[in-house]
Amino acid sequence: MAAEALTGAGHRVIIADAMPTPARKFLMAGKSGLNLTKVQPDDVFFGQFAGPDMPDFAPFGFGPQQATAWAEGLGQQMFTGSTGRVFPVGMKASPLLRAWLARLRQAGADLRSRWRWTGLEGGFRFATPQGESLLRPDVTVLALGGASWPRLGSDAAWVPMLRDAGVQIAPFRPANMGFRVAWSAPMQKVIGQAMKGVAIRAGDRVSRGEWVISHAGIEGGGVYEVAAAIRDGAVALVDLAPDLDHDRLAQRFARPRGRLSLGNWLRRVLGDPVKVALLLEWGRPLPGSADGWATRAKALPLRHDGPMALDRAISSAGGVAWSAVTPDLELRALPGVFAAGEMLDWEAPTGGYLLTGCLALGRHAGRAAARLLQH
């Protein structure tokens, strides 16, 4: 996006990418359909973005409408799902990426693969297949990624170089991640199954999305939506019957159990063996009354052993502090150098926010860099 803004202003641009092929994390996002953005009013959409001292994203002028129009401008037909999430009709990232790279090359951008930034001595030093190379650009936009999915390129190897240059860096933490759970033996029978039709409440956030019981713990979009609040210490409660109020659920638990086993009786009440397994796992000591069972099922403590590792997270929090950049995203310690994307200290849930946020920041930094060149 930064290169697009700079070439659009008539400037020669070199895109140095450390990986053999570009946009690997973008392509990974496309494996689940490339959820580019989400149709919401701007105040709701940008309200999902969080970070210490982070500015409001709305003034960057790139939200759901702009992201959709941008993709359509690359020849991609888009559609909006029932939840407001926006995808390419083909549900793939590769056609959009090919069209984007072709447009950049046509505009004069020079993409150099396997160019890894190694230092700032005398300019920008790179390790390349042809040996060391030194660039002294008039302006630079850094879009170096966060610290999640290091095998795709965002390995945070840039942190010591910028820190040594006087740039304040907040420690990286996992975002949009699952949580570790040491399951008991009875839970093994539901490993790999999806938890549907439940709600997770953590702090002021509520998620109704699906999630999965995995060998390592709990993972999936429904967990990621409230992951930041849980990571930061909020108590999380699972409502196993969010569409029933307490009294109606208590009436169901009041039905005679007869000679049914506890598990079979709970299955008749809750209608889902995965919910039953989780209730027996996290609901002890088990209640002794219908009212108690309803209370426990409506507010089941989400018991976990902490967030999963950073390299397993969808995205990361932390990075270049907002106090270290100007409103134009120019690094205060390195005039003429801008930062964009996940390397800045912000986070947002999955569901289209992350991609739109990165596009917005890249565009904003590129436009600011172009303006600097005009002076």
Side-chain angles (χ1 to χ4, degrees), residues 15-25 27 97 101 105 111-116 127 129 150-154:
I15 306 171
D17 195 310
M19 302 300 283
T21 54
R24 292 193 170 194
K25 200 170 184 186
L27 290 172
L97 178 61
L101 292 175
R105 291 190 179 101
L111 175 61
R112 302 183 183 182
S113 300
R114 294 189 174 91
W115 272 51
R116 179 171 291 277
R151 66 185 179 85
L152 300 181
S154 55

PDB file of all heavy atoms in Angstrom, residues 15-25 27 97 101 105 111-116 127 129 150-154:
ATOM      1  N   ILE A  15      10.807  -2.245  -3.498  1.00  0.00           N
ATOM      2  CA  ILE A  15      10.206  -3.036  -2.421  1.00  0.00           C
ATOM      3  C   ILE A  15      11.181  -4.163  -2.102  1.00  0.00           C
ATOM      4  O   ILE A  15      11.379  -5.071  -2.922  1.00  0.00           O
ATOM      5  CB  ILE A  15       8.839  -3.619  -2.817  1.00  0.00           C
ATOM      6  CG1 ILE A  15       7.897  -2.530  -3.318  1.00  0.00           C
ATOM      7  CG2 ILE A  15       8.217  -4.375  -1.646  1.00  0.00           C
ATOM      8  CD1 ILE A  15       6.602  -3.075  -3.919  1.00  0.00           C
ATOM      9  N   ALA A  16      11.803  -4.115  -0.949  1.00  0.00           N
ATOM     10  CA  ALA A  16      12.752  -5.145  -0.528  1.00  0.00           C
ATOM     11  C   ALA A  16      12.030  -6.115   0.399  1.00  0.00           C
ATOM     12  O   ALA A  16      11.571  -5.736   1.473  1.00  0.00           O
ATOM     13  CB  ALA A  16      13.944  -4.512   0.184  1.00  0.00           C
ATOM     14  N   ASP A  17      11.925  -7.358  -0.033  1.00  0.00           N
ATOM     15  CA  ASP A  17      11.212  -8.381   0.743  1.00  0.00           C
ATOM     16  C   ASP A  17      12.194  -9.467   1.145  1.00  0.00           C
ATOM     17  O   ASP A  17      12.919 -10.016   0.311  1.00  0.00           O
ATOM     18  CB  ASP A  17      10.082  -8.980  -0.102  1.00  0.00           C
ATOM     19  CG  ASP A  17       9.080  -9.762   0.727  1.00  0.00           C
ATOM     20  OD1 ASP A  17       9.503 -10.617   1.529  1.00  0.00           O
ATOM     21  OD2 ASP A  17       7.880  -9.516   0.586  1.00  0.00           O
ATOM     22  N   ALA A  18      12.219  -9.790   2.428  1.00  0.00           N
ATOM     23  CA  ALA A  18      13.170 -10.782   2.923  1.00  0.00           C
ATOM     24  C   ALA A  18      12.863 -12.191   2.451  1.00  0.00           C
ATOM     25  O   ALA A  18      13.752 -13.037   2.375  1.00  0.00           O
ATOM     26  CB  ALA A  18      13.199 -10.756   4.455  1.00  0.00           C
ATOM     27  N   MET A  19      11.606 -12.456   2.125  1.00  0.00           N
ATOM     28  CA  MET A  19      11.196 -13.809   1.771  1.00  0.00           C
ATOM     29  C   MET A  19      11.377 -14.071   0.272  1.00  0.00           C
ATOM     30  O   MET A  19      11.497 -13.145  -0.526  1.00  0.00           O
ATOM     31  CB  MET A  19       9.741 -14.019   2.169  1.00  0.00           C
ATOM     32  CG  MET A  19       9.468 -13.795   3.649  1.00  0.00           C
ATOM     33  SD  MET A  19      10.424 -14.905   4.721  1.00  0.00           S
ATOM     34  CE  MET A  19       9.466 -16.427   4.513  1.00  0.00           C
ATOM     35  N   PRO A  20      11.384 -15.353  -0.134  1.00  0.00           N
ATOM     36  CA  PRO A  20      11.539 -15.666  -1.565  1.00  0.00           C
ATOM     37  C   PRO A  20      10.373 -15.177  -2.415  1.00  0.00           C
ATOM     38  O   PRO A  20      10.549 -14.874  -3.594  1.00  0.00           O
ATOM     39  CB  PRO A  20      11.624 -17.201  -1.583  1.00  0.00           C
ATOM     40  CG  PRO A  20      12.058 -17.586  -0.210  1.00  0.00           C
ATOM     41  CD  PRO A  20      11.449 -16.566   0.701  1.00  0.00           C
ATOM     42  N   THR A  21       9.179 -15.123  -1.830  1.00  0.00           N
ATOM     43  CA  THR A  21       7.997 -14.615  -2.528  1.00  0.00           C
ATOM     44  C   THR A  21       7.273 -13.659  -1.590  1.00  0.00           C
ATOM     45  O   THR A  21       7.341 -13.812  -0.366  1.00  0.00           O
ATOM     46  CB  THR A  21       7.055 -15.749  -2.949  1.00  0.00           C
ATOM     47  OG1 THR A  21       6.733 -16.540  -1.799  1.00  0.00           O
ATOM     48  CG2 THR A  21       7.708 -16.632  -4.003  1.00  0.00           C
ATOM     49  N   PRO A  22       6.565 -12.676  -2.134  1.00  0.00           N
ATOM     50  CA  PRO A  22       5.971 -11.643  -1.282  1.00  0.00           C
ATOM     51  C   PRO A  22       4.626 -12.050  -0.696  1.00  0.00           C
ATOM     52  O   PRO A  22       3.953 -12.973  -1.172  1.00  0.00           O
ATOM     53  CB  PRO A  22       5.796 -10.472  -2.245  1.00  0.00           C
ATOM     54  CG  PRO A  22       5.556 -11.124  -3.574  1.00  0.00           C
ATOM     55  CD  PRO A  22       6.414 -12.365  -3.567  1.00  0.00           C
ATOM     56  N   ALA A  23       4.244 -11.330   0.350  1.00  0.00           N
ATOM     57  CA  ALA A  23       2.882 -11.347   0.902  1.00  0.00           C
ATOM     58  C   ALA A  23       2.458 -12.717   1.423  1.00  0.00           C
ATOM     59  O   ALA A  23       1.323 -13.142   1.244  1.00  0.00           O
ATOM     60  CB  ALA A  23       1.885 -10.843  -0.140  1.00  0.00           C
ATOM     61  N   ARG A  24       3.366 -13.414   2.084  1.00  0.00           N
ATOM     62  CA  ARG A  24       3.044 -14.773   2.532  1.00  0.00           C
ATOM     63  C   ARG A  24       1.963 -14.795   3.608  1.00  0.00           C
ATOM     64  O   ARG A  24       1.135 -15.700   3.649  1.00  0.00           O
ATOM     65  CB  ARG A  24       4.310 -15.479   3.022  1.00  0.00           C
ATOM     66  CG  ARG A  24       5.280 -15.769   1.885  1.00  0.00           C
ATOM     67  CD  ARG A  24       6.363 -16.728   2.277  1.00  0.00           C
ATOM     68  NE  ARG A  24       7.111 -17.162   1.096  1.00  0.00           N
ATOM     69  CZ  ARG A  24       7.953 -18.198   1.089  1.00  0.00           C
ATOM     70  NH1 ARG A  24       8.144 -18.896   2.186  1.00  0.00           N
ATOM     71  NH2 ARG A  24       8.592 -18.529  -0.022  1.00  0.00           N
ATOM     72  N   LYS A  25       1.971 -13.815   4.496  1.00  0.00           N
ATOM     73  CA  LYS A  25       0.923 -13.800   5.521  1.00  0.00           C
ATOM     74  C   LYS A  25      -0.423 -13.405   4.908  1.00  0.00           C
ATOM     75  O   LYS A  25      -1.470 -13.880   5.343  1.00  0.00           O
ATOM     76  CB  LYS A  25       1.308 -12.844   6.658  1.00  0.00           C
ATOM     77  CG  LYS A  25       0.558 -13.120   7.941  1.00  0.00           C
ATOM     78  CD  LYS A  25       1.114 -12.336   9.110  1.00  0.00           C
ATOM     79  CE  LYS A  25       0.401 -12.717  10.391  1.00  0.00           C
ATOM     80  NZ  LYS A  25       0.813 -11.893  11.536  1.00  0.00           N
ATOM     81  N   LEU A  27      -1.341 -14.265   1.925  1.00  0.00           N
ATOM     82  CA  LEU A  27      -1.808 -15.505   1.303  1.00  0.00           C
ATOM     83  C   LEU A  27      -2.326 -16.488   2.345  1.00  0.00           C
ATOM     84  O   LEU A  27      -3.291 -17.209   2.105  1.00  0.00           O
ATOM     85  CB  LEU A  27      -0.681 -16.134   0.487  1.00  0.00           C
ATOM     86  CG  LEU A  27      -0.280 -15.384  -0.793  1.00  0.00           C
ATOM     87  CD1 LEU A  27       0.970 -15.993  -1.406  1.00  0.00           C
ATOM     88  CD2 LEU A  27      -1.421 -15.389  -1.803  1.00  0.00           C
ATOM     89  N   LEU A  97      -3.705 -10.762  -5.165  1.00  0.00           N
ATOM     90  CA  LEU A  97      -2.279 -10.455  -5.047  1.00  0.00           C
ATOM     91  C   LEU A  97      -1.615 -10.355  -6.411  1.00  0.00           C
ATOM     92  O   LEU A  97      -0.815  -9.446  -6.652  1.00  0.00           O
ATOM     93  CB  LEU A  97      -1.583 -11.521  -4.189  1.00  0.00           C
ATOM     94  CG  LEU A  97      -0.074 -11.344  -4.020  1.00  0.00           C
ATOM     95  CD1 LEU A  97       0.257 -10.019  -3.344  1.00  0.00           C
ATOM     96  CD2 LEU A  97       0.520 -12.514  -3.237  1.00  0.00           C
ATOM     97  N   LEU A 101       0.304  -6.996  -7.621  1.00  0.00           N
ATOM     98  CA  LEU A 101       1.721  -6.951  -7.979  1.00  0.00           C
ATOM     99  C   LEU A 101       1.905  -6.498  -9.419  1.00  0.00           C
ATOM    100  O   LEU A 101       2.839  -5.744  -9.728  1.00  0.00           O
ATOM    101  CB  LEU A 101       2.355  -8.327  -7.766  1.00  0.00           C
ATOM    102  CG  LEU A 101       2.468  -8.797  -6.305  1.00  0.00           C
ATOM    103  CD1 LEU A 101       2.989 -10.224  -6.236  1.00  0.00           C
ATOM    104  CD2 LEU A 101       3.366  -7.854  -5.505  1.00  0.00           C
ATOM    105  N   ARG A 105       4.095  -3.263 -10.542  1.00  0.00           N
ATOM    106  CA  ARG A 105       5.199  -3.340 -11.511  1.00  0.00           C
ATOM    107  C   ARG A 105       4.949  -2.402 -12.686  1.00  0.00           C
ATOM    108  O   ARG A 105       5.871  -1.754 -13.181  1.00  0.00           O
ATOM    109  CB  ARG A 105       5.370  -4.779 -11.988  1.00  0.00           C
ATOM    110  CG  ARG A 105       5.913  -5.730 -10.913  1.00  0.00           C
ATOM    111  CD  ARG A 105       6.296  -7.083 -11.513  1.00  0.00           C
ATOM    112  NE  ARG A 105       6.823  -7.977 -10.493  1.00  0.00           N
ATOM    113  CZ  ARG A 105       6.129  -8.954  -9.905  1.00  0.00           C
ATOM    114  NH1 ARG A 105       4.852  -9.148 -10.249  1.00  0.00           N
ATOM    115  NH2 ARG A 105       6.686  -9.722  -8.991  1.00  0.00           N
ATOM    116  N   LEU A 111      10.338  -4.956  -7.273  1.00  0.00           N
ATOM    117  CA  LEU A 111      10.250  -5.907  -6.166  1.00  0.00           C
ATOM    118  C   LEU A 111      11.502  -6.772  -6.141  1.00  0.00           C
ATOM    119  O   LEU A 111      11.816  -7.464  -7.121  1.00  0.00           O
ATOM    120  CB  LEU A 111       9.005  -6.779  -6.311  1.00  0.00           C
ATOM    121  CG  LEU A 111       8.841  -7.905  -5.289  1.00  0.00           C
ATOM    122  CD1 LEU A 111       8.734  -7.346  -3.870  1.00  0.00           C
ATOM    123  CD2 LEU A 111       7.619  -8.755  -5.613  1.00  0.00           C
ATOM    124  N   ARG A 112      12.205  -6.739  -5.014  1.00  0.00           N
ATOM    125  CA  ARG A 112      13.436  -7.519  -4.869  1.00  0.00           C
ATOM    126  C   ARG A 112      13.247  -8.548  -3.747  1.00  0.00           C
ATOM    127  O   ARG A 112      13.088  -8.174  -2.582  1.00  0.00           O
ATOM    128  CB  ARG A 112      14.615  -6.601  -4.573  1.00  0.00           C
ATOM    129  CG  ARG A 112      14.816  -5.556  -5.673  1.00  0.00           C
ATOM    130  CD  ARG A 112      16.013  -4.673  -5.438  1.00  0.00           C
ATOM    131  NE  ARG A 112      16.126  -3.648  -6.479  1.00  0.00           N
ATOM    132  CZ  ARG A 112      17.112  -2.749  -6.540  1.00  0.00           C
ATOM    133  NH1 ARG A 112      18.083  -2.763  -5.627  1.00  0.00           N
ATOM    134  NH2 ARG A 112      17.132  -1.860  -7.518  1.00  0.00           N
ATOM    135  N   SER A 113      13.256  -9.799  -4.126  1.00  0.00           N
ATOM    136  CA  SER A 113      13.034 -10.879  -3.167  1.00  0.00           C
ATOM    137  C   SER A 113      14.354 -11.313  -2.529  1.00  0.00           C
ATOM    138  O   SER A 113      15.431 -11.090  -3.084  1.00  0.00           O
ATOM    139  CB  SER A 113      12.391 -12.076  -3.869  1.00  0.00           C
ATOM    140  OG  SER A 113      11.149 -11.713  -4.428  1.00  0.00           O
ATOM    141  N   ARG A 114      14.223 -11.948  -1.362  1.00  0.00           N
ATOM    142  CA  ARG A 114      15.381 -12.417  -0.580  1.00  0.00           C
ATOM    143  C   ARG A 114      16.330 -11.266  -0.225  1.00  0.00           C
ATOM    144  O   ARG A 114      17.528 -11.458  -0.134  1.00  0.00           O
ATOM    145  CB  ARG A 114      16.135 -13.526  -1.319  1.00  0.00           C
ATOM    146  CG  ARG A 114      15.333 -14.821  -1.477  1.00  0.00           C
ATOM    147  CD  ARG A 114      16.218 -15.931  -2.019  1.00  0.00           C
ATOM    148  NE  ARG A 114      15.526 -17.208  -2.051  1.00  0.00           N
ATOM    149  CZ  ARG A 114      14.838 -17.670  -3.092  1.00  0.00           C
ATOM    150  NH1 ARG A 114      14.756 -16.929  -4.196  1.00  0.00           N
ATOM    151  NH2 ARG A 114      14.242 -18.838  -3.049  1.00  0.00           N
ATOM    152  N   TRP A 115      15.770 -10.094  -0.041  1.00  0.00           N
ATOM    153  CA  TRP A 115      16.549  -8.944   0.433  1.00  0.00           C
ATOM    154  C   TRP A 115      16.199  -8.747   1.911  1.00  0.00           C
ATOM    155  O   TRP A 115      15.126  -8.251   2.240  1.00  0.00           O
ATOM    156  CB  TRP A 115      16.182  -7.686  -0.369  1.00  0.00           C
ATOM    157  CG  TRP A 115      17.003  -7.530  -1.621  1.00  0.00           C
ATOM    158  CD1 TRP A 115      17.214  -8.455  -2.589  1.00  0.00           C
ATOM    159  CD2 TRP A 115      17.726  -6.356  -2.016  1.00  0.00           C
ATOM    160  NE1 TRP A 115      18.007  -7.941  -3.570  1.00  0.00           N
ATOM    161  CE2 TRP A 115      18.336  -6.654  -3.250  1.00  0.00           C
ATOM    162  CE3 TRP A 115      17.895  -5.093  -1.459  1.00  0.00           C
ATOM    163  CZ2 TRP A 115      19.129  -5.716  -3.926  1.00  0.00           C
ATOM    164  CZ3 TRP A 115      18.669  -4.153  -2.139  1.00  0.00           C
ATOM    165  CH2 TRP A 115      19.291  -4.475  -3.355  1.00  0.00           C
ATOM    166  N   ARG A 116      17.115  -9.139   2.779  1.00  0.00           N
ATOM    167  CA  ARG A 116      16.867  -9.039   4.222  1.00  0.00           C
ATOM    168  C   ARG A 116      17.628  -7.856   4.795  1.00  0.00           C
ATOM    169  O   ARG A 116      18.855  -7.761   4.666  1.00  0.00           O
ATOM    170  CB  ARG A 116      17.286 -10.330   4.928  1.00  0.00           C
ATOM    171  CG  ARG A 116      17.081 -10.275   6.451  1.00  0.00           C
ATOM    172  CD  ARG A 116      17.304 -11.621   7.093  1.00  0.00           C
ATOM    173  NE  ARG A 116      16.247 -12.554   6.717  1.00  0.00           N
ATOM    174  CZ  ARG A 116      15.064 -12.617   7.321  1.00  0.00           C
ATOM    175  NH1 ARG A 116      14.784 -11.803   8.336  1.00  0.00           N
ATOM    176  NH2 ARG A 116      14.172 -13.495   6.925  1.00  0.00           N
ATOM    177  N   ALA A 127      21.244  -8.059   3.202  1.00  0.00           N
ATOM    178  CA  ALA A 127      21.856  -9.304   2.741  1.00  0.00           C
ATOM    179  C   ALA A 127      21.009  -9.802   1.582  1.00  0.00           C
ATOM    180  O   ALA A 127      19.792 -10.001   1.720  1.00  0.00           O
ATOM    181  CB  ALA A 127      21.884 -10.327   3.866  1.00  0.00           C
ATOM    182  N   PRO A 129      20.926 -12.274  -2.347  1.00  0.00           N
ATOM    183  CA  PRO A 129      21.571 -13.410  -3.017  1.00  0.00           C
ATOM    184  C   PRO A 129      22.865 -13.035  -3.729  1.00  0.00           C
ATOM    185  O   PRO A 129      23.726 -13.885  -3.975  1.00  0.00           O
ATOM    186  CB  PRO A 129      20.508 -13.868  -4.023  1.00  0.00           C
ATOM    187  CG  PRO A 129      19.210 -13.438  -3.412  1.00  0.00           C
ATOM    188  CD  PRO A 129      19.518 -12.135  -2.751  1.00  0.00           C
ATOM    189  N   PRO A 150       6.336 -16.495  12.510  1.00  0.00           N
ATOM    190  CA  PRO A 150       7.681 -16.142  12.033  1.00  0.00           C
ATOM    191  C   PRO A 150       8.096 -16.881  10.764  1.00  0.00           C
ATOM    192  O   PRO A 150       8.879 -16.345   9.973  1.00  0.00           O
ATOM    193  CB  PRO A 150       8.586 -16.525  13.218  1.00  0.00           C
ATOM    194  CG  PRO A 150       7.780 -17.459  14.055  1.00  0.00           C
ATOM    195  CD  PRO A 150       6.354 -17.044  13.876  1.00  0.00           C
ATOM    196  N   ARG A 151       7.552 -18.079  10.528  1.00  0.00           N
ATOM    197  CA  ARG A 151       7.947 -18.807   9.317  1.00  0.00           C
ATOM    198  C   ARG A 151       7.432 -18.122   8.054  1.00  0.00           C
ATOM    199  O   ARG A 151       7.894 -18.423   6.952  1.00  0.00           O
ATOM    200  CB  ARG A 151       7.467 -20.258   9.374  1.00  0.00           C
ATOM    201  CG  ARG A 151       5.960 -20.438   9.352  1.00  0.00           C
ATOM    202  CD  ARG A 151       5.600 -21.915   9.528  1.00  0.00           C
ATOM    203  NE  ARG A 151       4.173 -22.147   9.541  1.00  0.00           N
ATOM    204  CZ  ARG A 151       3.428 -22.315   8.463  1.00  0.00           C
ATOM    205  NH1 ARG A 151       3.988 -22.244   7.261  1.00  0.00           N
ATOM    206  NH2 ARG A 151       2.136 -22.539   8.555  1.00  0.00           N
ATOM    207  N   LEU A 152       6.481 -17.203   8.212  1.00  0.00           N
ATOM    208  CA  LEU A 152       5.990 -16.446   7.063  1.00  0.00           C
ATOM    209  C   LEU A 152       6.741 -15.137   6.885  1.00  0.00           C
ATOM    210  O   LEU A 152       6.474 -14.391   5.951  1.00  0.00           O
ATOM    211  CB  LEU A 152       4.487 -16.167   7.214  1.00  0.00           C
ATOM    212  CG  LEU A 152       3.587 -17.400   7.312  1.00  0.00           C
ATOM    213  CD1 LEU A 152       2.130 -16.983   7.437  1.00  0.00           C
ATOM    214  CD2 LEU A 152       3.777 -18.319   6.109  1.00  0.00           C
ATOM    215  N   GLY A 153       7.677 -14.855   7.784  1.00  0.00           N
ATOM    216  CA  GLY A 153       8.518 -13.675   7.618  1.00  0.00           C
ATOM    217  C   GLY A 153       8.468 -12.666   8.740  1.00  0.00           C
ATOM    218  O   GLY A 153       9.409 -11.889   8.919  1.00  0.00           O
ATOM    219  N   SER A 154       7.385 -12.630   9.508  1.00  0.00           N
ATOM    220  CA  SER A 154       7.285 -11.618  10.574  1.00  0.00           C
ATOM    221  C   SER A 154       7.911 -12.170  11.848  1.00  0.00           C
ATOM    222  O   SER A 154       7.234 -12.646  12.748  1.00  0.00           O
ATOM    223  CB  SER A 154       5.822 -11.221  10.807  1.00  0.00           C
ATOM    224  OG  SER A 154       5.029 -12.369  11.069  1.00  0.00           O
TER     225      SER A 154
END
